[in-house]
Amino acid sequence: MSSPSTLEKPRTSRPRPQSHATNFGKGFLVKLALMAAVNAFGIFIILAALQQDSMGILWVMVGLLVAANWVFFARRTLALKYVFPGLVFLLIFQLFTMGYTLYVSFTNYGQGHNSTKDQAITALLQQNEVRLPDSPAYPLAVVQQGGELGFAVLEDDTVEVGTAEDPLSVVDDAVVTDGAITEVPGWDILDRQAIIADQQAVVDLRVSIDEDPESGSIRTTDGRTGYVYTSTLEWDPEADTMTNTETGVVYTPNDEGQFEAEDGSKLNVGWRVTVGLENYTEAFTNPTLAGYFYQITAWTFVQAFLSVALTFLLGLLVAIAMNKPGMRGQKVYRSLLILPYAIPGFISALIFAGLFNTRFGAINQILLGGAEIPWLTDPFLAKFTILFVNLWLGYPYMFLITTGALQALPGDVMEAAKIDGAGPLRTWRSITLPLLLVSTAPLLISSFAFNFNNFTLIYMLTGGGPSFSPTTSLGHTDILISMVYKISGISGGEPTNYGLASALSIMIFVIVGVISAIAFRQTRKLEEVN
Amino acid sequence: MRKTIITAAVASAALLLTACGSDSSSEATTDATDSSSEETSAAEEETTESAGGGGSITVWVDETRQAAVADAATTFTDETGTEVELVLKNFEDIRTDFLAQVPTGEGPDITVGAHDWLGELTANGVVAPVELGATASDFETTAVEAFTYDGQVYALPYAIENLGLIRNTDLAPDAPATWDEMIAAGEAAGTEYPFVIQMNGEDGDPYTFYPLQASFGSGIFAKNDDGSYSTDLIIGDEAGQNFAQFLYDNGQSGTGVFDQNITYDVAVDAFATGKSPFIVGGPWMLDSFGDLNVAVDPVPSAGGESAVPFAGVQGFYLSAQSQNALLANDFLVNYLSSEDAQLALYEAGDRPPALIAAADVAAEDPITAGFIAAGEGADPMPSIPEMGSVWTPWGKTEAAIINGADPVSSWETMATEIQSAIGG
């Protein structure tokens, strides 16, 4: 880091070095080429977003591109030139995710509220358009006259043509070959390619079979055959209501994102709406959830704290033993100790889940002579097992970092302590440990954050079980993040509720953030002491 | 939360990948296996050969069904010039991914799926009705009924799967008719277990246990006159309590036949290594049994009535937001419903075809015939949205009873809790 004094140095008479922005040398050409590539890439995304109607992505990209060009071509933005790429990635990969999670936590996104209102309306209309039970299959051709689409259908050897405006009427002199309509006077028959090019219009086309709209209309789903359909729901865009044409019941949108009739009955498909803080209050007030929520929160803290403390202590102990000068085979021991650290955590957790199986696991069968100890299904033992496996998985990491820290301790301080007459214990307590903590504390904090959200271990080892009760999927070893996973309903077996799950993740984020902030402050104090 | 992260990651990845053309992102997924990318490129080549402008549709498939669907796709491409893009997905991920991606417009036109997703998919408005037309009568009634919700059919069925009793014919030469006969035969075989049935630890496995439950006359939801499920919960009735008592009698405090430590892997391994003459299982297990001489029979009755399993139907759903609805419908109704396509799917997954003509061919295999016989009279697994609140408590309660919880009161509590969860 540069000290302030360097900045205040009087300028020498040496000419200022030219910035890359105005120096048209080799470096500038390279930069120009790179920026051209970046701009081309950006413009491509903008065009693609325009095509997909994704206005959000479009404007973000425009903003980023303008910023990028300004940063790399302006003269005064030297520091930004280094920071900008990192900022862009932070924006895309972190802030966006967090922002989106925050947004979802204020909505009722989940079972039955999965899409937008427009999509829900489309789905409702689709679901309630039913083929008449006795409607025969009509061989059908898509025809066109002056840009207007219509259907030509074959009914008992006569060909009838109709459009969205005009119901079916008989056309004379039409040619039918092998049961397919090949020629209709006054109309062009669309071939398959033309149908495909306009398929949305063809799918949306409804041709009434007679003057009475109640008797249904022809539509086709494959461009070859038509059936008569009637719709029981009618959407009125002006009044924003759905009407059931059979019963006459009118449904209006309610605050929860569903169409609701006056008698309280609701239509099947709903859509996403913002529900404010409802998801946040639900975690504390929902009678079936709140009790478990507090228990799980408490266990999450205990689990994270004990995991860090135990692994650190064991790692440190081993590190001290290994650090003894003149010990033989140090390298072999050290490489052996790294082994558990080198195996992916979720594989180890899975293997341990097998080892701890009550009846078939090696621990009960071989080590304990066939004792049926419920390692993973007793609330207390399951917690113990989690901590034990995490200790096994985590201590080599602590061993590594404490070994490094021990070896970096300044020898002269130790020497001084010895001369001052301090014994090994005193030296350890007053010199070694504080110095060690200064360099390892940030890692301990990040370990805490990691264990706070150690989903893999819980998921692979106990799956959160044993359950609090047979009627909930939440269990005694669930931590907040695995609770979020279960509540989200992704795993199936329970209705999805992304809104509530997002609200819980935001709470986890806040908890971890606050704890880390406090812990880092404490660490700084530690540094000041030294 | 994990979903949001995935969605965000997909969105940001899409942001980066759009540069390579809108098609490439799905192709990148297809490249997951070599065979699939060959499949896609083969389909592409044919498109360029035939007259252009045939449009294209995207289909989500899993690994098992990939090759079979690719065959049907090739025929479709040959005849119509429409390109079919197959995207390989994990079967377990399809339901959630489909729910998440259809509303964003990123979803496929068609996806493979199971019929018991139907309630959730319709409640979220992501699937469109499929008009089977005249072909409807070519399919097994159960298969079409399973995909019917509120009078509309939502998928093209292609396979029916159900549990049966798989028997090691070397250890037990005769098919047992009742539960007691089976246990006696199992004990006479002198193996480590007389009979194995899988459980997923304390989560239980209500699907696998259902045939036994059905043999006591116990169901979950009452049925309407037209054979569809109503939302009236009947699981807590006397028949259900009798079944609970049966679980308890054969659990840890009784004979010990049921054991929550016998997971899928343990059960399959026990049968494959000759430690048990009987296992309750489906066609998906057969690969693990290698050279064993096996036969498939109906599950024996424990409660007096016939022990029918749930029928699970597999099919192809159509996205409600499909921009290529016409092509997708054409491919579904006119190509995937062909006998060739259905037989190819049967050979890929071993599940009896839903198309009657294809099922008749498949039934020439005695094992397949055994599963078809075991599924005789089976009801489709309930697919109404309320079923989402049933599975977890149902399985956990069964496991608790097997572990020694009081059968009748646990069963009653479960019924009450499910009732309050589905709002009644």
Side-chain angles (χ1 to χ4, degrees):
Chain A
M1 228 167 79
S2 60
S3 66
S5 60
T6 21
L7 292 179
E8 284 157 20
K9 258 187 202 164
R11 288 221 172 100
T12 56
S13 53
R14 200 159 57 90
R16 273 178 61 200
Q18 272 189 305
S19 101
H20 280 304
T22 48
N23 175 2
F24 296 96
K26 225 191 220 166
F28 180 77
L29 286 179
V30 170
K31 183 167 87 177
L32 203 62
L34 282 176
M35 284 308 293
V38 168
N39 278 321
F41 183 61
I43 288 170
F44 190 91
I45 293 181
I46 290 172
L47 290 178
L50 192 67
Q51 218 170 19
Q52 303 278 326
D53 265 345
S54 316
M55 286 303 150
I57 293 180
L58 189 147
W59 288 117
V60 167
M61 205 56 223
V62 169
L64 284 178
L65 216 53
V66 170
N69 283 302
W70 174 68
V71 165
F72 286 101
F73 286 111
R75 219 182 264 178
R76 293 169 190 284
T77 52
L78 186 70
L80 264 179
K81 287 186 174 75
Y82 294 96
V83 178
F84 186 76
L87 277 180
V88 169
F89 283 110
L90 185 76
L91 180 75
I92 294 176
F93 291 112
Q94 302 224 294
L95 291 182
F96 171 74
T97 318
M98 274 159 52
Y100 191 72
T101 311
L102 192 66
Y103 158 71
V104 170
S105 75
F106 292 120
T107 70
N108 61 354
Y109 185 21
Q111 172 78 319
H113 300 274
N114 193 45
S115 45
T116 63
K117 190 174 171 187
D118 284 344
Q119 287 168 335
I121 291 168
T122 315
L124 279 171
L125 293 177
Q126 273 177 357
Q127 291 182 8
N128 287 284
E129 187 172 36
V130 190
R131 182 181 155 193
L132 283 183
D134 49 353
S135 157
Y138 295 101
L140 169 148
V142 182
V143 293
Q144 197 177 26
Q145 187 182 53
E148 196 184 14
L149 281 179
F151 288 148
V153 297
L154 186 62
E155 193 178 9
D156 310 328
D157 296 336
T158 54
V159 174
E160 294 173 275
V161 175
T163 63
E165 309 293 322
D166 303 309
L168 290 180
S169 58
V170 178
V171 182
D172 297 324
D173 302 329
V175 182
V176 178
T177 328
D178 295 338
I181 302 166
T182 47
E183 214 175 291
V184 183
W187 296 82
D188 295 330
I189 295 185
L190 294 190
D191 62 7
R192 190 160 172 81
Q193 277 183 40
I195 294 176
I196 291 167
D198 218 3
Q199 59 173 306
Q200 212 54 47
V202 173
V203 169
D204 290 342
L205 182 63
R206 305 284 184 272
V207 176
S208 306
I209 52 168
D210 53 38
E211 296 291 343
D212 178 17
E214 296 291 307
S215 49
S217 51
I218 298 249
R219 66 175 276 224
T220 182
T221 51
D222 60 0
R224 303 165 192 232
T225 345
Y227 301 98
V228 181
Y229 288 82
T230 51
S231 187
T232 46
L233 270 190
E234 207 162 67
W235 160 240
D236 182 354
E238 302 284 310
D240 198 13
T241 54
M242 282 280 185
T243 312
N244 186 324
T245 51
E246 278 174 4
T247 57
V249 177
V250 178
Y251 297 86
T252 48
N254 65 12
D255 291 342
E256 280 142 26
Q258 270 185 315
F259 282 108
E260 190 175 344
E262 272 177 18
D263 63 359
S265 64
K266 290 165 191 158
L267 293 180
N268 192 17
V269 185
W271 59 92
R272 243 189 273 189
V273 290
T274 43
V275 292
L277 290 172
E278 214 171 83
N279 286 320
Y280 290 88
T281 48
E282 172 132 7
F284 298 101
T285 53
N286 181 326
T288 54
L289 203 62
Y292 301 142
F293 178 67
Y294 293 125
Q295 280 191 57
I296 288 172
T297 311
W299 160 241
T300 310
F301 276 100
V302 170
Q303 184 266 145
F305 178 78
L306 284 182
S307 290
V308 176
L310 293 174
T311 49
F312 180 68
L313 285 179
L314 184 63
L316 184 58
L317 225 79
V318 179
I320 292 169
M322 292 283 147
N323 209 32
K324 197 171 175 332
M327 186 177 172
R328 286 177 139 201
Q330 246 177 353
K331 275 187 186 152
V332 179
Y333 288 133
R334 279 191 183 152
S335 1
L336 281 180
L337 278 170
I338 311 289
L339 268 184
Y341 182 46
I343 303 170
F346 64 90
I347 295 184
S348 314
L350 263 182
I351 293 171
F352 269 106
L355 293 179
F356 278 109
N357 183 299
T358 311
R359 267 188 67 185
F360 308 105
I363 297 201
N364 280 343
Q365 286 264 322
I366 299 167
L367 292 183
L368 302 171
E372 296 204 349
I373 298 172
W375 291 110
L376 298 173
T377 45
D378 176 80
F380 179 78
L381 281 177
K383 286 178 179 167
F384 170 81
T385 313
I386 294 263
L387 289 175
F388 174 81
V389 173
N390 213 6
L391 179 62
W392 154 267
L393 290 175
Y395 88 91
Y397 168 74
M398 293 297 184
F399 163 73
L400 266 187
I401 60 169
T402 46
T403 302
L406 280 175
Q407 285 173 347
L409 287 185
D412 50 344
V413 184
M414 299 295 181
E415 202 79 12
K418 214 175 205 174
I419 290 167
D420 285 348
L425 212 68
R426 176 69 202 219
T427 318
W428 163 251
R429 200 161 54 85
S430 309
I431 313 259
T432 318
L433 192 65
L435 282 176
L436 204 63
L437 279 179
V438 171
S439 54
T440 52
L443 292 167
L444 293 184
I445 295 166
S446 61
S447 266
F448 180 85
F450 175 81
N451 280 301
F452 200 87
N453 284 332
N454 197 349
F455 177 80
T456 323
L457 179 73
I458 304 290
Y459 184 70
M460 295 292 179
L461 196 58
T462 62
S467 308
F468 288 116
S469 84
T471 45
T472 175
S473 60
L474 300 173
H476 287 277
T477 56
D478 261 322
I479 56 175
L480 284 169
I481 192 78
S482 62
M483 177 183 179
V484 167
Y485 175 74
K486 286 177 178 174
I487 284 186
S488 72
I490 297 169
S491 51
E494 252 165 282
T496 49
N497 193 346
Y498 297 132
L500 181 57
S502 294
L504 286 172
S505 357
I506 296 288
M507 284 194 245
I508 295 177
F509 172 74
V510 170
I511 294 172
V512 174
V514 167
I515 289 174
S516 303
I518 295 172
F520 275 116
R521 274 180 75 103
Q522 296 297 328
T523 327
R524 223 173 22 231
K525 270 187 207 154
L526 213 63
E527 261 171 87
E528 280 157 12
V529 171
N530 288 277
Chain B
M1 221 243 2
R2 201 181 70 147
K3 184 85 267 143
T4 2
I5 291 175
I6 291 168
T7 322
V10 167
S12 23
L15 214 88
L16 295 173
L17 281 173
T18 351
C20 324
S22 52
D23 286 344
S24 61
S25 61
S26 36
E27 259 171 39
T29 330
T30 323
D31 281 345
T33 67
D34 291 335
S35 63
S36 70
S37 58
E38 278 159 27
E39 239 69 89
T40 318
S41 51
E44 271 163 12
E45 273 162 34
E46 267 135 30
T47 321
T48 32
E49 275 165 30
S50 58
S56 86
I57 53 172
T58 308
V59 182
W60 280 4
V61 283
D62 62 332
E63 210 165 338
T64 331
R65 283 149 273 235
Q66 188 189 4
V69 177
D71 285 348
T74 313
T75 320
F76 184 59
T77 309
D78 283 349
E79 288 179 20
T80 63
T82 299
E83 185 190 324
V84 180
E85 209 175 317
L86 296 184
V87 178
L88 186 70
K89 308 276 289 183
N90 272 331
F91 193 74
E92 295 76 41
D93 299 336
I94 289 180
R95 186 181 54 93
T96 36
D97 286 5
F98 190 74
L99 279 166
Q101 292 193 16
V102 168
T104 66
E106 297 291 324
D109 297 303
I110 293 172
T111 183
V112 69
H115 88 271
D116 56 311
W117 306 349
L118 181 59
E120 191 178 5
L121 297 184
T122 48
N124 289 304
V126 293
V127 283
V130 174
E131 182 51 66
L132 292 180
T135 54
S137 54
D138 299 341
F139 288 94
E140 301 277 359
T141 329
T142 324
V144 179
E145 262 175 19
F147 278 116
T148 306
Y149 184 77
D150 221 2
Q152 297 265 57
V153 180
Y154 282 90
L156 178 95
Y158 75 83
I160 304 175
E161 59 186 28
N162 56 259
L163 296 168
L165 182 73
I166 306 175
R167 169 167 58 94
N168 184 332
T169 49
D170 295 332
L171 295 170
D174 300 313
T178 64
W179 170 265
D180 294 332
E181 257 181 51
M182 177 181 72
I183 297 295
E187 274 161 3
T191 46
E192 184 175 344
Y193 309 97
F195 158 80
V196 280
I197 183 166
Q198 77 196 49
M199 274 183 88
N200 187 14
E202 60 162 17
D203 292 335
D205 194 336
Y207 172 79
T208 310
F209 275 70
Y210 184 75
L212 297 172
Q213 182 171 348
S215 78
F216 282 86
S218 167
I220 304 157
F221 290 108
K223 284 190 147 191
N224 295 322
D225 295 337
D226 62 352
S228 62
Y229 287 102
S230 75
T231 55
D232 297 333
L233 197 70
I234 53 161
I235 195 172
D237 63 10
E238 206 190 323
Q241 293 171 15
N242 291 341
F243 169 64
Q245 187 65 44
F246 167 77
L247 286 178
Y248 180 84
D249 293 341
N250 288 287
Q252 292 310 292
S253 317
T255 63
V257 170
F258 299 138
D259 185 340
Q260 71 163 13
N261 293 300
I262 298 182
T263 57
Y264 178 84
D265 294 333
V266 176
V268 166
D269 182 67
F271 186 83
T273 52
K275 288 181 191 163
S276 166
F278 301 107
I279 184 172
V280 173
W284 52 87
M285 281 183 182
L286 294 171
D287 281 347
S288 320
F289 299 151
D291 300 332
L292 288 186
N293 295 319
V294 296
V296 178
D297 313 301
V299 178
S301 169
E305 299 187 28
S306 65
V308 283
F310 276 137
V313 185
Q314 307 271 326
F316 292 94
Y317 286 105
L318 179 67
S319 161
Q321 301 294 327
S322 169
Q323 298 299 308
N324 306 301
L326 197 87
L327 293 172
N329 264 301
D330 197 17
F331 180 55
L332 274 188
V333 179
N334 300 324
Y335 288 84
L336 282 176
S337 66
S338 74
E339 194 179 324
D340 286 347
Q342 297 259 328
L343 275 176
L345 285 160
Y346 159 68
E347 270 146 32
D350 266 346
R351 278 104 161 145
L355 191 76
I356 296 169
D360 290 343
V361 177
E364 286 165 14
D365 174 51
I367 300 275
T368 305
F371 277 116
I372 293 176
E376 203 80 50
D379 285 323
M381 209 185 317
S383 63
I384 51 178
E386 285 78 7
M387 199 58 199
S389 309
V390 174
W391 288 110
T392 302
W394 189 19
K396 283 180 183 287
T397 303
E398 288 188 359
I401 292 171
I402 285 168
N403 281 343
D406 179 66
V408 174
S409 66
S410 306
W411 198 259
E412 280 173 341
T413 315
M414 172 194 78
T416 325
E417 299 234 359
I418 295 175
Q419 189 64 58
S420 73
I422 60 179

